[in-house]
């Protein structure tokens, strides 16, 4: 694969705030890439540096293998879909979409033809004469997409493109964006704080925290093999047990003798965490089955429709609650263990992941 | 049955209606009287003697008055154009760039608005005398003194209105344009200026009306051959308030109101969305 974007050692400060600290990243051509992280972690800043709208204090940006450090935003082969969509309010939809072509010298006829084609691509044929204020949120967004795509950029940058849409529309647009990306074959880099969005759309995800990249991996790897505690807790739910590496290289959780996991490449005596996802845990009433790894009492059941979350108390204190989730495969709830039921918890050995930090 | 007025239905309460009525009467009665008496068939402006347009004809026939009116219009137009361009550039510079002593500059720009007009007038008089600006230039160059003086107090209004408009600009629009390939000038032309336009129209309108009816500063900067409409009316009033003066004033009111209405209509028509 060839690389589309490479950033190396990017640092950016705003006064006393460090927005980015030594960020390096390589994004392949044709990839759907997501930058995921909590609000304020520097995702937008990184995207804007790629676009040339912000200048890094340090570090370099390569697009298609060319150093664009000295290339101004208007001459970089990337285009951006802004969070506010930023449609020009005094121009019709067609003029908005054609703007990027017209301003760089494309003739009116060709620009309008290509604008119509781009509008067709985002399923807005016939909207050309409308003004931006006559569009719904979803339509505005698609106009913004068309306006960026019409330039046939090497890379399309999208800053929280779905955050202004309502939940239903957001689900639809996720699918549509993925399909669109496959159709046009352009590298997409999307910024989002919504882990579900990142996992469901992207080929690879970079998880960021306070200006640093914590892990870059495909969605499944991110979820099943998180690199550290931040990634494990930021993406989905997780039970964390404080543990120590024993002499034989296995991690042993402190108050829970049954909770162990095989650790690789971590020295004996180190303090680590054992992470287990709630849906990997099986739950059975105490008595019948073998002892399992943990035993406790169901304290609370949270019904979520497709699944229920059980908070099982295995020990007194705030760390003694274990979260278990189970699909509601049967229609009636009475066969599920209710609060007060004594249960044993178990999971397959390889479901427990050791986190060194 | 009569429904009692709701808590926010102020215009349905009797005493508020009376206050409103009194306010309007106070504001507009003098103007209404002025207009009405311009049609009064009497030498003296005291009793109503019947309708006539005689004084409009007489005002038209008064060469001095017509010339003054032409001067005023020309000065107002020129001052408006120059003030609007200057004001737009000032507002843009103050909004776009960061530089040393910027707060001071912002203060200095609005200074002519707060300085008493009489002081401005005297200052202008002294200034033109000091630099020896010739007073006997051929028409219409002879109006340049008054025009320059008008620009000095008109352009701050344009700058202030345009600056206020710019503070509501969404920076992402400029960034989007840049991202799509627009250079600095193209961004200004295609995104920022269209955003400023309503502010510029409002500012230009202010400048035009301010210039058209300015008396104090004009009085100090006009020469014997460059009489403007307000100055001319003043000199006529010094002898007596004739219906001719009323007629001339009514024309001035009509011009300002018409210009305002046309400008507002234009602005509504070009506002995004008002077009089909
Ligand atoms: N123009 C700016 N001036 C000052 N601080 C900024 C600016 N842009 C971003 N920041 C700060 O940099 C940090 C990262 O911002 P941003 O990249 O927008 O975060 P994210 O998009 O991940 O929410 C934040 O703390 C933010 O306050
Ligand atoms: Mg952001």
């Amino acid at each position: 694969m060839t690389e589309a974007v490479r950033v190396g050692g990017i640092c950016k400060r705003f006064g006393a705030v460090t927005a980015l600290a030594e960020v390096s990243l390589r994004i392949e051509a044709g990839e759907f890439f997501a930058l995921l992280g909590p609000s304020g972690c520097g995702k937008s800043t990184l995207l804007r540096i790629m676009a040339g709208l912000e200048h890094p204090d340090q570090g370099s940006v390569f697009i298609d293998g060319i150093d664009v450090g000295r290339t101004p935003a208007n001459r970089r082969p990337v285009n951006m879909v802004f969070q506010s969509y930023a449609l020009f309010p005094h121009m019709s939809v067609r003029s908005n979409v054609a703007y990027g072509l017209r301003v760089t010298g494309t003739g009116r006829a060709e620009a309008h033809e290509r604008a119509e084609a781009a509008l067709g691509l985002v399923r807005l044929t016939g909207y050309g004469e409308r003004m931006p204020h006559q569009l719904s949120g979803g339509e505005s967004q698609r106009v913004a997409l068309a306006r960026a795509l019409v330039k046939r950029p090497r890379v399309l940058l999208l800053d929280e493109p779905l955050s202004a849409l309502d939940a239903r529309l957001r689900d639809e647009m996720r699918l549509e964006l993925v399909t669109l990306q496959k159709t046009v074959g352009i590298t997409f880099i999307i910024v989002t704080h919504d882990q579900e969005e990142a996992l469901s759309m992207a080929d690879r995800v970079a998880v960021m925290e306070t200006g640093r990249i914590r892990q870059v991996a495909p969605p499944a790897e991110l979820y099943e093999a998180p690199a550290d505690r931040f990634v494990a807790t930021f993406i989905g739910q997780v039970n964390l047990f404080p543990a120590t590496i024993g002499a034989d290289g296995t991690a042993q959780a402190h108050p829970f003798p049954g909770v162990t996991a095989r650790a690789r490449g971590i020295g004996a005596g180190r303090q680590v965490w054992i992470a287990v996802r709630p849906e990997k845990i099986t739950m059975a009433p105490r008595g019948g089955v073998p002892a399992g790894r943990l035993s406790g009492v169901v304290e609370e059941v949270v019904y979520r429709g497709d699944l229920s979350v059980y908070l099982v108390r295995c020990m007194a204190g705030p760390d003694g609650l274990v979260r278990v989730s189970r699909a509601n495969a049967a229609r009636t709830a009475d066969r599920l263990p209710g609060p007060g039921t004594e249960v044993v918890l178990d999971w397959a050995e390889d479901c427990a992941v050791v986190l060194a930090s | 049955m009569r429904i009692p007025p709701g808590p926010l239905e102020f215009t349905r309460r009797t005493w508020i209606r009376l206050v409103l009525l009194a306010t309007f009467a106070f504001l507009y009665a003098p103007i209404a009287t002025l207009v009405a008496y311009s049609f009064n068939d009497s030498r003296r402006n005291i009793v109503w003697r019947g309708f006539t347009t005689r004084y409009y004809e007489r005002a038209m026939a008064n060469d001095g008055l017509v010339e003054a009116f032409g001067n005023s219009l020309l000065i107002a137009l020129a001052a408006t154009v120059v003030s609007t361009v200057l004001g737009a550039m000032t507002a843009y510079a103050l909004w776009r760039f960061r530089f040393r002593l910027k707060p001071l500059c912002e203060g200095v720009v609005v200074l002519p608005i707060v300085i008493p007009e009489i002081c401005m007038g005297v200052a202008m008089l002294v200034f033109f005398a000091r630099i020896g600006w010739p007073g006997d230039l051929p028409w219409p160059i002879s109006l340049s003194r008054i025009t320059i003086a008008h620009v000095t107090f008109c352009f701050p209004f344009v700058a202030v209105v345009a600056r206020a408009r710019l503070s509501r600009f969404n920076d992402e629009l400029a960034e989007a344009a840049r991202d799509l390939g627009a250079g600095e000038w193209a961004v200004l032309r295609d995104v920022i200026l269209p955003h400023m336009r309503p502010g510029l129209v409002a500012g230009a309108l202010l400048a035009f009306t301010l210039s058209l009816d300015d008396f104090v500063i004009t009085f100090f900067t006009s020469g014997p051959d460059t009489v403007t409409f307000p100055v001319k009316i003043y000199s006529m009033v010094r002898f007596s308030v004739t219906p001719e003066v009323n007629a001339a004033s009514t024309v001035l009111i009509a011009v300002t109101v018409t210009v305002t209405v046309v400008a507002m209509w234009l602005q509504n028509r070009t506002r995004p969305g008002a077009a089909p």
Side-chain angles (χ1 to χ4, degrees):
Chain A
M1 278 220 257
T2 53
E3 81 178 23
V5 178
R6 177 155 50 89
V7 298
I10 298 275
C11 294
K12 178 71 185 176
R13 296 169 65 89
F14 293 105
V17 179
T18 303
L20 295 172
E22 288 279 330
V23 170
S24 299
L25 204 57
R26 189 189 140 104
I27 294 154
E28 306 298 337
E31 206 173 14
F32 198 129
F33 193 90
L35 289 170
L36 173 66
S39 182
C41 71
K43 313 177 292 284
S44 297
T45 306
L46 184 54
L47 204 69
R48 291 166 55 80
I49 285 175
M50 292 177 188
L53 297 172
E54 208 85 70
H55 294 282
D57 300 334
Q58 216 177 298
S60 51
V61 180
F62 291 84
I63 293 168
D64 267 345
I66 298 162
D67 188 344
V68 292
R70 291 178 178 281
T71 313
N74 51 336
R75 288 212 290 273
R76 291 193 186 188
V78 300
N79 284 109
M80 182 135 162
V81 175
F82 289 82
Q83 198 167 359
S84 69
Y85 309 145
L87 300 182
F88 306 127
H90 57 283
M91 293 185 196
S92 69
V93 165
R94 179 180 300 115
S95 307
N96 260 283
V97 177
Y99 182 75
L101 300 172
R102 295 286 290 139
V103 81
T104 47
T106 309
R108 173 183 294 271
E110 191 198 336
H112 279 192
E113 198 175 308
R114 278 171 64 182
E116 280 304 333
L119 283 172
L121 201 62
V122 296
R123 300 193 292 115
L124 284 181
T125 309
Y127 277 64
E129 299 297 328
R130 292 213 198 175
M131 296 303 284
H133 76 104
Q134 294 171 310
L135 302 174
S136 71
E139 289 161 355
S140 305
Q141 196 208 14
R142 283 190 267 165
V143 173
L145 262 173
R147 188 177 66 176
L149 283 172
V150 80
K151 299 266 297 177
R152 297 182 190 144
R154 300 291 305 156
V155 181
L156 186 73
L157 308 170
L158 304 103
D159 193 353
E160 311 250 5
L162 308 182
S163 64
L165 305 179
D166 59 56
R168 277 283 293 281
L169 207 53
R170 198 150 54 210
D171 277 352
E172 261 175 55
M173 278 309 293
R174 271 187 209 166
L175 267 176
E176 210 170 308
L177 274 181
V178 172
T179 321
L180 187 66
Q181 196 259 339
K182 297 281 173 281
T183 316
V184 296
I186 291 172
T187 312
F188 276 33
I189 303 179
I190 184 172
V191 156
T192 175
H193 64 267
D194 182 341
Q195 41 131 340
E196 221 182 297
E197 207 167 285
L199 295 191
S200 62
M201 293 198 291
D203 299 322
R204 276 195 314 149
V205 180
V207 180
M208 293 181 65
E209 190 212 2
T210 57
R212 288 191 165 73
I213 290 186
R214 288 310 190 101
Q215 188 174 7
V216 184
E221 190 183 327
L222 219 50
Y223 187 79
E224 304 294 352
D228 58 22
R229 242 156 45 105
F230 176 79
V231 177
T233 50
F234 187 72
I235 294 172
Q237 299 284 347
V238 72
N239 294 295
L240 288 174
F241 303 95
T244 314
I245 307 283
D248 59 347
T250 30
Q252 170 67 57
H254 296 311
F256 305 111
V259 179
T260 58
R262 210 163 328 118
R264 273 182 220 92
I266 304 176
R270 279 277 306 275
Q271 296 291 314
V272 294
W273 280 271
I274 295 176
V276 187
R277 298 279 185 197
E279 77 282 357
K280 304 282 195 287
I281 303 178
T282 58
M283 185 170 56
R286 175 132 66 172
V289 288
R293 292 171 187 273
L294 286 170
S295 65
V297 180
V298 175
E299 191 165 287
E300 206 182 323
V301 181
V302 183
Y303 180 73
R304 289 254 187 94
D306 55 341
L307 53 78
S308 291
V309 175
Y310 301 81
L311 299 176
V312 180
R313 182 155 294 287
C314 298
M315 194 185 71
D319 299 332
L321 272 182
V322 175
R323 174 187 278 263
V324 179
S325 67
R326 225 161 84 162
N328 291 327
R331 271 191 72 204
T332 45
D334 13 295
R335 261 165 284 142
L336 305 170
T341 315
E342 296 199 350
V343 292
V344 291
L345 307 179
D346 202 356
W347 56 81
E349 177 74 26
D350 69 342
C351 288
V353 179
V354 174
L355 305 176
S357 60
Chain B
M1 207 186 79
R2 196 172 173 276
I3 304 162
L8 290 176
E9 287 185 293
F10 292 121
T11 51
R12 286 189 54 202
R13 286 164 194 255
T14 314
W15 67 272
I16 288 197
R17 283 181 183 184
L18 287 177
V19 170
L20 271 176
L21 205 67
T23 310
F24 276 112
F26 181 75
L27 283 176
Y28 289 109
I31 296 171
T33 316
L34 174 101
V35 174
Y37 274 95
S38 71
F39 298 105
N40 188 9
D41 193 3
S42 156
R43 281 292 319 153
R44 309 247 162 269
N45 264 328
I46 300 163
V47 271
W48 182 258
R49 284 273 175 73
F51 182 84
T52 181
T53 53
R54 184 152 53 93
Y55 293 103
Y56 283 88
E57 286 156 25
R58 196 176 292 177
M60 293 289 194
N62 183 337
D63 286 341
L65 196 59
V66 171
E67 189 198 319
F69 190 70
N71 283 350
S72 270
L73 273 185
L74 198 64
I75 291 166
L77 276 176
T80 301
V81 170
V82 177
S83 307
T84 306
V85 173
L86 267 184
M89 295 198 307
T90 310
Y92 180 73
L94 288 177
W95 170 74
R96 174 75 175 74
F97 303 111
R98 257 185 286 171
F99 47 87
R100 266 157 51 90
L101 302 180
K102 180 168 165 178
L104 188 70
C105 289
E106 301 206 29
V108 168
V109 166
V110 298
L111 211 52
I113 297 180
V114 292
I115 289 181
E117 250 192 289
I118 186 78
C119 303
M120 288 281 286
V122 173
M124 288 291 168
L125 180 68
V126 173
F127 170 74
F128 284 120
R130 186 78 185 75
I131 66 166
W133 191 278
D136 50 356
L137 291 162
W139 191 90
I141 314 293
S142 55
L143 303 176
S144 58
R145 284 209 323 189
I146 305 178
T147 308
I148 291 169
H150 282 198
V151 167
T152 57
F153 72 84
C154 284
F155 104 87
F157 284 93
V158 181
V160 166
V161 177
R163 177 75 186 78
R165 174 83 192 153
L166 275 175
S167 64
R168 276 179 289 140
F169 182 74
N170 173 7
D171 282 331
E172 283 200 344
L173 287 180
E175 289 181 344
R178 215 139 56 84
D179 182 65
L180 290 166
E184 194 91 2
W185 283 109
V187 172
L188 179 63
R189 181 192 63 208
D190 299 335
V191 183
I192 297 173
L193 270 180
H195 175 83
M196 285 172 80
R197 192 165 55 199
L200 292 182
V201 171
L205 198 59
L206 259 173
F208 184 79
T209 49
L210 282 171
S211 163
L212 195 62
D213 75 348
D214 179 74
F215 176 76
V216 178
I217 292 175
T218 315
F219 192 71
F220 279 93
T221 44
S222 59
D225 304 328
T226 52
V227 174
T228 70
F229 200 57
V231 173
K232 179 69 182 172
I233 289 181
Y234 171 73
S235 66
M236 288 164 74
V237 166
R238 280 204 300 183
F239 300 112
S240 66
V241 182
T242 58
E244 201 179 328
V245 172
N246 287 22
S249 308
T250 305
V251 170
L252 189 59
I253 292 172
V255 169
T256 25
V257 169
T258 309
V259 170
T260 311
V261 168
V262 167
M264 277 163 68
W265 176 73
L266 275 178
Q267 204 165 345
N268 266 331
R269 218 186 42 146
T270 53
R271 182 179 303 163

